[in-house]
């Protein structure tokens, strides 16, 4: 779903140019073009026009009936998939303490401060060891970083731990978008993201 009008307008033009040049487009999506169009408030929204262009130039194929979750067939991960509960007790460590333990286990206690290259010749300081890195949400998503920076991190590390994840609202729209981009790039490069402790 494209929330940015400019993105939808540009992509519609790109799609039409590719089809006009004889290209074949193969893409997957969790929604059909009709559902994309229905998610906008008005028909003249660029996303609706992009969805109409998709429906005009592309055949929609349904892959499966959606009844099977293929993730359930994967082997269980050696580390927890989610840290809970939100409040730790004497018997259950807090999520932050669980993330601390996960980071120590993955790095063998050999983590150290490191300055690494990211996009556009810039550098970032974080804590890392044995292919595992750790940084705060503010450092990763509160500054002017983009997909290229996150790709550089994903290519360098097999696991990235994020501290101090806030509870976001529309007032943190830029940070939320960066976090979505970060998660997308980590997923694309098969870089693990241990679940950040939930905000208080």
């Amino acid at each position: 779903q494209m929330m940015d009008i400019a993105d939808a307008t540009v992509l519609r033009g790109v799609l039409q140019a590719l089809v006009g040049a004889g290209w074949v487009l193969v893409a997957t999506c969790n929604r059909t073009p009709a559902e994309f169009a229905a998610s906008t408030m008005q028909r003249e929204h660029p996303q609706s026009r992009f969805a109409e262009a998709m429906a005009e130039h592309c055949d929609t194929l349904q892959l499966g009936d959606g009844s099977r979750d293929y993730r359930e067939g994967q082997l269980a991960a050696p580390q927890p998939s989610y840290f809970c509960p939100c409040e730790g007790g004497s018997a259950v460590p807090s999520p932050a303490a669980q993330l601390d333990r996960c980071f120590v286990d993955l790095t063998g206690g050999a983590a150290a401060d490191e300055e690494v290259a990211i996009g556009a010749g810039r550098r970032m300081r974080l804590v890392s060891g044995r292919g595992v890195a750790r940084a705060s949400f503010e450092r990763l998503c509160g500054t002017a970083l983009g997909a290229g920076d996150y790709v550089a991190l994903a290519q360098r590390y097999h696991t990235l731990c994020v501290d101090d994840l806030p509870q976001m609202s529309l007032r943190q729209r830029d940070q939320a978008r960066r976090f979505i981009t970060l998660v997308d790039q980590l997923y694309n490069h098969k870089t693990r993201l241990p679940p950040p402790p939930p905000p208080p």
Side-chain angles (χ1 to χ4, degrees):
Q1 182 173 353
M2 290 167 287
M3 302 302 294
D4 190 275
I5 292 177
D7 289 346
T9 302
V10 170
L11 280 177
R12 180 171 179 248
V14 170
L15 173 64
Q16 292 176 328
L18 292 178
V19 172
W23 284 51
V24 175
L25 174 67
V26 179
T28 60
C29 186
N30 293 330
R31 296 186 179 184
T32 66
E35 290 173 325
F36 268 126
S39 68
T40 60
M41 295 295 293
Q42 51 186 318
R43 183 176 178 82
E44 292 306 311
H45 189 285
Q47 180 172 296
S48 292
R49 296 198 295 270
F50 172 74
E52 291 172 355
M54 286 283 293
E56 177 184 353
H57 298 297
C58 302
D59 295 325
T60 302
L61 302 177
Q62 178 74 30
L63 302 179
D65 58 7
S67 62
R68 179 179 178 184
D69 188 342
Y70 288 91
R71 295 170 298 181
E72 294 179 352
Q74 302 296 317
L75 295 175
Q79 282 79 31
S81 298
Y82 193 77
F83 298 132
C84 61
C86 293
E87 296 295 335
S90 58
V92 181
S94 69
Q98 294 179 58
L99 183 60
D100 290 340
R101 172 51 56 189
C102 177
F103 185 67
V104 170
D105 289 345
L106 291 172
T107 61
D113 289 340
E114 183 181 18
E115 188 176 80
V116 299
I118 51 177
R122 295 172 296 166
R123 303 186 70 83
M124 172 187 286
R125 293 196 66 83
L126 40 70
V127 181
S128 65
R130 295 187 177 180
V132 182
R134 187 173 188 177
S136 68
F137 174 87
E138 179 62 27
R139 176 158 293 186
L140 291 167
C141 303
T143 56
L145 299 182
D149 303 304
Y150 302 139
V151 167
L153 293 175
Q155 290 176 337
R156 184 179 183 90
Y157 303 106
H158 61 72
T159 303
L160 177 64
C161 299
V162 180
D163 286 308
D164 305 322
L165 178 69
Q167 183 171 346
M168 287 172 276
S169 67
L170 290 177
R171 288 178 294 182
Q172 290 83 35
R173 185 173 180 178
D174 289 343
Q175 293 93 322
R177 282 189 171 183
R178 291 190 191 106
F179 185 65
I180 292 171
T181 302
L182 170 64
V183 173
D184 284 344
Q185 295 308 323
L186 296 180
Y187 177 84
N188 290 340
H189 291 81
K190 297 181 172 58
T191 298
R192 298 175 56 203
L193 176 68

